[in-house]
């Protein structure tokens, strides 16, 4: 599917295309598309993250005002938290990218990004721009404006900080600067090979009233976006709830709102407007030379549209298509709207004809150079005046068909093709190259800003409908039938002959004892014979028990085990694995992400694992873990020798908890497990009798208020955090056992931490609680709530906002040492 055609699908109505690649619109959706065809205007919304966008406003602009509407999210939300699973970083960014696209399919807007990597919470734009390359991100915002050509730009946040997050404020700063630079031909002139300069009429801040901050005012411009759309059958408050509820990894399921709903706008720059956000914006065809006739034709098409017989609008749409095609392209603005409207009009013609076409493969993946079987199906359900002239396969083979379609008769054309040996492997384009903490590396400038990859391979259908030629591209997909889900689609993948995954991404040693490391080799074609090779840093010894792999069938896997032994001069470093096949080494691992609410996702990366040697002492090893929203802490504790039992609801109900030295709750456990309050008394009795209960961070906000008791004495979970991962840590209670038993904790143990120190610190502490550390971000007051400990009977209760869930999987030695000390807190004397 071409970029232009992909945009057109979103542009039309935002239909949900997770289930299929050939859209099927009902008559109401077709009529909405024709109405949108008659609007020649655009608006770009700019913010920082997935979920920042105002879905109610986007839906209103896209489906009521019928503007081409886009959302530019500077990041993909990679540094956030995950309510539905264990994914962090790149994997979480994939999830949130697809959640944004699902939201856009719901509200009708389009989605764009910059190369900025969400590195986690930032308290001010100054900090943000020390990690993001400001000039590069600014360049991306300018490119987005020049490509999209918005008449109006709307920011979600102000430059003055009321948005809270440093990324939020940075997004407004960048938007305001880009507003001017996009019109300046001396700025980023290399972009002008692809796009023209663009002068947006004005830019606003969409003021807000939430989180205790009201920035709206009655002297601001305002729009009632609570309108009901009878063609949709719902209001835009309901559209917004459906759209926002797509952000499932953030737990943003939203209630539907009905009735009047005002949005407010503060003018920032450009031509001032007195009464209307779009004052002076000509969004009719009259803005283009020769556009008046086209507007009249579309208006007539709308008036005569018959929902029982949408094919009756084909002659009118074909006349409109021909008129648009005749527009002069010498004017860049005319050329822009000509391309947009031709693509949209083509899709409306296909829908009115009841045309459905799809190309799918017999297997979901293949390797470069292999043969693939492609089934191509096409049907015209509303008219028989459609001819399939030919098909172009993978951009390499033309096949004449000369097939006159009979009304409502499904035609199938089979084809076998060989993939080029030089076909690139499939992986998200922004993850194809190594990246920094703040920026993704994208070598192809054409891809910058696009939400996702084009399909790996595609087929072009060359059609004639009522004498007009059309070329329709369909990306290759694989589809199957699940007994529960029904028809399931996934993208076609081009993969290396074999991938090799390392079981643990961090291999942690706390003694000189050898440790077994496992590698899983998976065949992506049949008859794979090869040898596993592993490189380790100086001072480590690796012995592969049986390095030879022999995989007969595609999809077969073989587990290869090795013994990794530390030596006295061993240093922390990277273990690198590959599999050698016919003289070539393949060193890619594959990470797959599967959730029902988004399309199937995966990415390739180098097969590497971090090796860490810890100076670590450990006491009793039998502990329990109550799962929360999802983290990898259990695997990390298992690596250093703990015997960890997962406490399910059933075990919590019947288990004798006294057999465990310590019990740990996973991140956000009290936010996600509504059964935990039932076991409050049992957990407190466990502490009182001598156990240690360690509660990792939970959230407490308007979306997820903390209304249950957690500890034996009162405290409040705040939104306090320390985002500087190098922030100095002061030991305020240096004699506390947690700093000495069994490991002596020093400031060195806080070196090398990633992303942040801690989040959702405790405040308003009952006097029974002791604090241990004080820390703060630059220019802020010290906070002591990162770790609180209370004696309760013979045992100890701990609440900590320190981000162990990030530090342990990253192999941070000090985080392991401190966490072990929490697990080892001694019993209290009566």
């Amino acid at each position: 599917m071409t970029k232009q055609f992909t945009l057109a699908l979103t542009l039309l109505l935002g239909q949900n295309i997770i289930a299929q690649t050939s859209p099927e619109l009902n008559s109401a959706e077709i009529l909405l598309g024709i109405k949108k065809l008659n609007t020649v205007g655009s608006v770009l919304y700019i913010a920082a993250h997935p979920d920042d966008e105002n879905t109610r406003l986007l839906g209103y602009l896209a489906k009521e005002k019928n503007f081409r509407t886009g959302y530019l999210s500077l990041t993909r939300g990679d540094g956030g938290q995950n309510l539905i699973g264990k994914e962090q970083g790149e994997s979480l960014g994939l999830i949130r990218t697809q959640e944004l696209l699902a939201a856009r399919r719901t509200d009708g807007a389009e989605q764009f990004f910059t190369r900025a990597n969400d590195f986690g919470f930032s308290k001010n734009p100054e900090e943000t721009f020390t990690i993001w390359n400001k000039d590069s991100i600014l360049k991306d915002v300018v490119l987005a404006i020049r490509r999209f050509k918005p008449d109006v730009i709307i920011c979600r946040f102000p430059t003055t900080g009321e948005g809270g997050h440093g990324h939020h404020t940075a997004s407004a700063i960048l938007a305001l600067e880009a507003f001017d630079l996009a019109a300046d031909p001396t700025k980023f002139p290399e972009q002008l090979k692809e796009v023209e300069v663009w002068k947006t009429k004005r830019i606003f801040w969409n003021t807000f009233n939430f989180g205790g901050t009201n920035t709206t005012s009655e002297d601001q411009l305002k729009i009632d976006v609570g309108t009901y759309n009878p063609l949709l059958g719902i209001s835009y408050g309901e559209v917004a709830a459906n759209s926002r509820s797509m952000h499932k990894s953030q737990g943003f399921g939203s209630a539907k709102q009905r009735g009047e709903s005002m949005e407010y706008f503060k003018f920032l720059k450009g031509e001032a407007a007195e009464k209307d956000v779009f004052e002076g914006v000509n969004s009719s065809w009259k803005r283009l030379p020769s556009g008046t006739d086209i507007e009249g034709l579309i208006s007539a098409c709308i008036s005569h549209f018959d929902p029982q017989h949408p094919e009756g609008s084909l002659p009118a749409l074909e006349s409109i298509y021909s008129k648009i095609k005749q527009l002069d392209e010498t004017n860049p603005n005319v050329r822009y709207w000509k391309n947009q409207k031709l693509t949209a009009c083509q899709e409306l013609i296909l829908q009115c004809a009841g045309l459905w076409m799809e190309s799918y493969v017999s297997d979901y993946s293949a390797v470069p150079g292999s043969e693939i079987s492609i089934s191509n199906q096409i049907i015209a359900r509303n008219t028989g005046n459609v001819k399939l002239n030919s098909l172009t396969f993978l951009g390499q083979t033309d096949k004449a068909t000369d097939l006159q379609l009979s009304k409502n008769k499904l035609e199938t054309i089979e084809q076998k093709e060989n993939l080029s040996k030089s076909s690139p492997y499939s992986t998200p384009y922004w993850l194809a190259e190594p990246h920094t903490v703040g920026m993704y590396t994208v070598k192809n400038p054409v891809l910058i800003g696009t939400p996702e990859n084009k399909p790996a391979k595609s087929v072009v259908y060359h059609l004639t409908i009522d004498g007009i030629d059309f070329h329709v591209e369909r990306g290759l997909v694989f589809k199957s039938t699940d007994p529960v889900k029904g028809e399931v689609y996934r993208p076609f993948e081009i993969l290396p002959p074999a991938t090799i995954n390392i079981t643990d991404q961090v291999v942690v040693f706390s003694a000189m004892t050898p440790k077994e490391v496992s590698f899983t080799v998976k065949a992506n074609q049949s008859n794979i014979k090869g040898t596993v090779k592993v490189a380790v840093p100086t001072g480590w010894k690796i012995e592969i028990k049986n390095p030879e792999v022999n995989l007969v069938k595609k999809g077969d896997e073989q587990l290869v085990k090795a013994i990794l032994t530390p030596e006295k001069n061993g240093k922390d470093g990277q273990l690198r694995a590959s599999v050698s096949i016919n003289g070539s080494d393949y060193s890619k691992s594959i990470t797959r992400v599967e959730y029902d609410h988004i399309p199937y996702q995966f990415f390739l990366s180098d097969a590497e694992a971090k090796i860490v040697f810890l100076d670590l002492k450990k006491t009793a090893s039998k502990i329990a873990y109550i799962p929360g929203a999802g983290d990898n802490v259990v695997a990390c504790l298992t690596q250093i020798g703990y015997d960890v039992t997962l406490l399910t609801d059933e075990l919590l109900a019947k288990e004798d908890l006294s057999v465990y030295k310590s019990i740990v709750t996973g991140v956000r456990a009290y936010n996600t497990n509504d059964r935990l309050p039932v076991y409050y008394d049992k957990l407190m009795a466990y502490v009182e009798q001598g156990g240690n209960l360690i509660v990792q961070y939970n959230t407490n906000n308007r979306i997820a208020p903390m209304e249950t008791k957690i500890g034996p004495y009162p405290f409040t979970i705040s939104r306090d955090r320390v985002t500087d991962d190098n922030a100095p840590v002061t030991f305020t209670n240096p004699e506390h056992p947690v700093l000495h038993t069994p490991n002596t904790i020093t400031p060195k143990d806080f070196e090398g931490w990633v992303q942040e120190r801690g989040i959702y610190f405790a405040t308003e502490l009952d006097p029974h609680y002791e604090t241990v550390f004080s820390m703060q971000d630059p220019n802020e007051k010290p906070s002591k709530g990162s770790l609180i400990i209370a004696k309760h009977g013979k045992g100890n209760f701990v609440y900590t906002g320190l981000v162990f869930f990030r530090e342990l999987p990253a192999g941070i030695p000090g985080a392991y040492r401190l966490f072990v000390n929490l697990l080892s807190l001694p019993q209290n004397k009566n």
Side-chain angles (χ1 to χ4, degrees):
M1 191 179 296
T2 63
K3 175 184 171 186
Q4 183 186 46
F5 187 65
T6 303
L7 291 180
L9 296 187
T10 310
L11 165 69
L12 268 170
L13 296 163
Q15 66 274 4
N16 189 321
I17 57 172
I18 288 178
Q20 60 183 41
T21 59
S22 189
E24 296 174 293
L25 307 186
N26 60 43
S27 287
E29 292 168 327
I30 293 172
L31 182 55
L32 280 170
I34 300 172
K35 287 175 174 285
K36 196 175 188 74
L37 192 64
N38 217 16
T39 302
V40 187
S42 58
V43 57
L44 183 64
Y45 202 86
I46 299 178
H49 308 109
D51 83 7
D52 286 346
E53 76 276 24
N54 184 334
T55 53
R56 185 169 50 233
L57 178 60
L58 291 181
Y60 174 85
L61 293 172
K63 294 188 173 183
E64 186 68 27
K65 294 289 288 185
N66 291 318
F67 277 84
R68 184 185 181 201
T69 305
Y71 174 44
L72 175 61
S73 176
L74 299 190
T75 76
R76 297 174 183 269
D78 331 66
Q81 299 155 42
N82 186 358
L83 192 67
I84 61 174
K86 298 179 180 180
E87 293 84 3
Q88 296 179 32
E90 292 93 340
S91 296
L92 181 56
L94 279 179
I95 294 171
R96 291 195 173 178
T97 293
Q98 291 301 322
E99 289 177 340
L100 271 176
L101 290 171
R104 297 296 78 77
R105 289 191 290 269
T106 302
D107 59 39
E110 300 172 47
Q111 185 62 53
F112 308 101
F113 295 96
T114 73
R115 289 170 291 169
N117 185 13
D118 179 0
F119 56 83
F121 192 89
S122 175
K123 293 185 176 178
N124 55 68
E126 292 78 21
E127 180 193 36
T128 298
F129 289 135
T130 64
I131 299 175
W132 287 353
N133 184 319
K134 182 184 177 184
D135 287 344
S136 296
I137 306 303
L138 178 60
K139 180 179 179 179
D140 291 357
V141 179
V142 169
L143 179 61
I145 293 171
R146 287 173 171 174
R147 280 178 176 166
F148 196 78
K149 299 186 185 301
D151 295 305
V152 172
I153 294 174
I154 301 174
C155 300
R156 168 78 283 191
F157 301 105
T159 61
T160 46
E162 289 92 334
H165 200 311
H167 295 179
H168 294 170
T169 308
S171 72
I173 292 170
L174 291 167
L176 273 171
E177 292 186 21
F179 175 85
D180 291 326
L181 299 184
D184 187 344
T186 69
K187 304 302 182 184
F188 310 120
E190 68 278 7
Q191 294 180 354
L192 302 184
K193 297 175 183 177
E194 177 199 347
V195 294
E196 300 87 19
V197 295
W198 179 253
K199 179 63 177 175
T200 302
K201 186 172 285 290
R202 61 181 67 96
I203 182 170
F204 290 98
W205 164 31
N206 178 199
T207 56
F208 50 79
N209 181 9
F210 57 75
T213 302
N214 185 2
T215 60
T216 65
S217 172
E218 288 304 315
D219 61 357
Q220 297 169 358
L221 295 179
K222 56 186 177 181
I223 301 174
D224 179 7
V225 299
T227 308
Y228 172 78
N229 188 320
L231 287 175
L232 295 174
I234 55 177
S235 68
Y236 294 104
E238 295 165 282
V239 170
N242 292 338
S243 176
R244 191 161 182 79
S245 295
M246 295 298 176
H247 295 298
K248 299 184 188 303
S249 65
Q250 302 186 70
F252 279 171
S254 299
K256 296 179 180 179
Q257 298 180 4
R258 299 170 178 87
E260 181 183 90
S261 180
M262 304 305 296
E263 291 293 338
Y264 294 81
F265 305 88
K266 183 176 180 179
F267 173 75
L268 298 178
K269 190 181 286 189
E271 295 182 21
E274 295 183 1
K275 296 182 179 180
D276 182 16
V277 168
F278 299 102
E279 195 171 290
V281 174
N282 185 353
S283 60
S284 75
W285 279 94
K286 295 182 179 67
R287 74 186 291 174
L288 305 180
S290 305
T292 304
D293 292 344
I294 296 173
E295 183 175 279
L297 289 172
I298 297 174
S299 296
C301 182
I302 293 169
S303 298
H304 295 97
F305 181 76
D306 182 353
Q308 294 293 330
H309 296 283
E311 71 275 13
S313 294
L314 280 172
L317 286 170
E318 289 158 0
S319 295
I320 294 164
Y321 184 87
S322 298
K323 281 284 188 180
I324 296 173
K325 203 166 186 179
Q326 294 168 15
L327 290 174
D328 184 6
E329 293 191 9
T330 55
N331 182 306
N333 195 36
V334 174
R335 182 168 61 249
Y336 167 80
W337 282 111
K338 177 180 178 178
N339 290 334
Q340 290 294 319
K341 297 303 184 181
L342 272 179
T343 309
C345 191
Q346 171 180 298
E347 182 57 29
L348 289 167
I349 291 170
L350 298 180
Q351 293 301 317
C352 286
L355 263 169
W356 178 93
M357 64 206 85
E358 193 167 73
S359 296
Y360 54 95
V361 288
S362 57
D363 201 346
Y364 70 87
S365 71
V367 304
S370 64
E371 184 182 76
I372 59 173
S373 298
I374 309 172
S375 296
N376 308 275
Q377 293 189 320
I378 184 170
I379 186 171
R381 291 167 289 192
N382 286 344
T383 177
N385 199 13
V386 180
K387 185 179 179 183
L388 177 61
N389 301 308
S390 63
L391 295 168
T392 299
F393 295 96
L394 318 187
Q396 62 192 29
T397 303
D398 292 318
K399 180 176 182 177
T401 52
D402 198 29
L403 179 63
Q404 184 69 43
L405 300 183
S406 299
K407 182 178 178 180
N408 208 32
K409 180 183 179 183
L410 181 67
E411 301 284 356
T412 302
I413 300 104
E414 304 288 350
Q415 181 76 4
K416 292 186 182 295
E417 287 286 327
N418 288 316
L419 292 175
S420 167
K421 291 183 179 180
S422 61
S423 298
Y425 300 144
S426 302
T427 200
Y429 73 87
W430 64 95
L431 299 179
E433 302 290 337
H435 62 83
T436 65
V437 173
M439 285 281 295
Y440 284 114
T441 300
V442 180
K443 288 188 173 180
N444 184 353
V446 174
L447 294 175
I448 294 173
T450 57
E452 59 182 342
N453 288 22
K454 289 173 58 176
K457 294 293 179 181
S458 60
V459 175
V460 178
Y461 291 69
H462 303 283
L463 307 164
T464 300
I465 304 174
D466 294 332
I468 300 177
D469 292 335
F470 296 96
H471 309 284
V472 181
E473 192 166 0
R474 290 288 186 257
L476 292 186
V477 294
F478 172 75
K479 64 178 179 180
S480 59
T481 303
D482 182 273
V484 175
K485 302 174 186 176
E487 199 170 64
V488 177
Y489 284 66
R490 63 187 290 175
F492 173 60
E493 307 168 6
I494 301 177
L495 300 176
T499 52
I500 180 165
N501 281 43
I502 307 171
T503 302
D504 297 303
Q505 293 305 296
V506 178
V507 186
V508 180
F509 287 79
S510 57
M512 299 298 288
T513 308
K515 181 171 287 193
E516 187 175 79
V517 181
S518 298
F519 309 86
T520 301
V521 180
K522 183 170 184 177
N524 297 315
Q525 66 179 30
S526 59
N527 298 318
I528 290 292
K529 292 184 179 181
T531 304
V532 170
K533 295 159 51 173
V534 181
V536 294
T538 301
W540 294 84
K541 179 183 176 183
I542 187 83
E543 180 183 354
I544 306 175
K545 295 180 179 179
N546 183 6
E548 304 303 318
V549 294
N550 186 0
L551 302 169
V552 177
K553 295 183 297 183
K554 178 180 179 179
D556 283 354
E557 297 182 7
Q558 183 172 328
L559 190 66
V560 175
K561 296 182 178 181
I563 299 297
L564 181 61
T565 305
E567 298 178 346
K568 290 183 178 180
N569 61 337
K571 295 183 178 180
D572 294 355
Q574 293 290 327
L575 176 152
R576 295 180 172 86
S578 63
V579 56
S580 180
I581 304 170
N582 295 328
S584 297
D585 291 343
Y586 299 94
S587 58
K588 292 297 182 184
S589 67
I590 190 164
T591 301
R592 297 193 176 277
V593 179
E594 291 187 70
Y595 289 98
D596 287 344
H597 70 293
I598 61 173
Y600 197 95
Q601 300 294 300
F602 73 96
F603 68 95
L604 297 174
S605 57
D606 293 332
E608 297 180 343
K610 186 177 180 180
I611 305 175
V612 179
F613 192 94
L614 303 178
D615 177 14
L616 185 69
K617 299 187 181 91
K618 190 162 73 57
T619 58
S621 63
K622 190 172 180 61
I623 64 173
Y625 202 88
I626 301 173
D631 58 63
N632 289 303
V633 172
V634 169
C636 296
L637 297 178
T638 302
Q639 276 232 25
I640 57 173
Y642 280 99
D643 176 10
V644 186
T645 298
L646 287 179
L647 284 182
T648 61
D649 184 65
E650 181 181 1
L651 286 177
L652 269 173
K654 67 181 184 180
E655 187 86 339
D656 177 8
L657 301 183
S658 66
V659 299
Y660 304 112
K661 166 68 174 175
S662 296
I663 297 175
V664 182
T665 66
V667 299
R668 298 177 74 172
Y670 285 86
N671 296 131
T672 58
N673 186 346
D674 57 9
R675 295 285 298 168
L676 276 182
V678 174
Y679 303 110
Y680 173 81
D681 290 340
K682 185 173 184 177
L683 288 170
M684 291 304 104
Y686 161 78
V687 175
E688 194 168 14
Q689 292 162 15
N692 293 323
L693 177 61
I694 298 131
V695 175
Q696 295 183 87
Y697 91 93
N698 287 265
T699 60
N700 185 18
N701 53 45
R702 61 190 178 89
I703 298 173
M706 180 53 62
E707 297 175 343
T708 185
K709 291 190 294 183
I710 296 178
Y713 313 108
F715 69 95
T716 299
I717 297 173
S718 73
R719 294 182 63 83
D720 293 350
R721 60 177 75 204
V722 173
T723 62
D724 182 354
D725 47 24
N726 294 309
V729 178
T730 301
F731 290 45
T732 58
N733 194 351
E735 301 306 316
H736 196 283
V738 78
L739 298 176
H740 300 281
T741 306
N743 303 286
T744 300
I745 303 301
T746 71
K748 186 176 177 60
D749 288 300
F750 287 92
E751 294 178 3
W753 283 46
V754 298
Q755 187 159 322
E756 56 205 343
R757 289 289 192 208
I759 52 181
Y760 297 100
F761 290 177
T763 57
E764 302 178 16
L765 308 180
D766 182 276
H768 286 89
Y769 288 105
E770 293 182 89
T771 61
V772 182
F773 304 121
S774 174
M775 59 186 73
Q776 76 268 3
D777 281 318
N779 303 316
E780 292 194 354
K781 294 180 179 179
S783 174
K784 295 183 178 181
S786 64
L787 177 65
I788 63 171
I789 304 172
K791 296 177 181 178
H792 183 56
K794 294 181 180 180
N796 303 279
F797 172 84
V798 176
Y799 173 83
T800 180
L802 294 172
V803 286
F804 290 108
F805 77 102
R806 295 196 195 280
E807 310 310 321
L808 298 183
I812 307 303
Y816 276 91
R817 289 160 49 80
L818 179 56
F819 204 88
V820 165
N821 282 15
L822 291 173
L823 296 172
S824 307
L825 283 168
Q827 287 191 350
N828 305 308
K829 297 178 181 179
N830 291 332

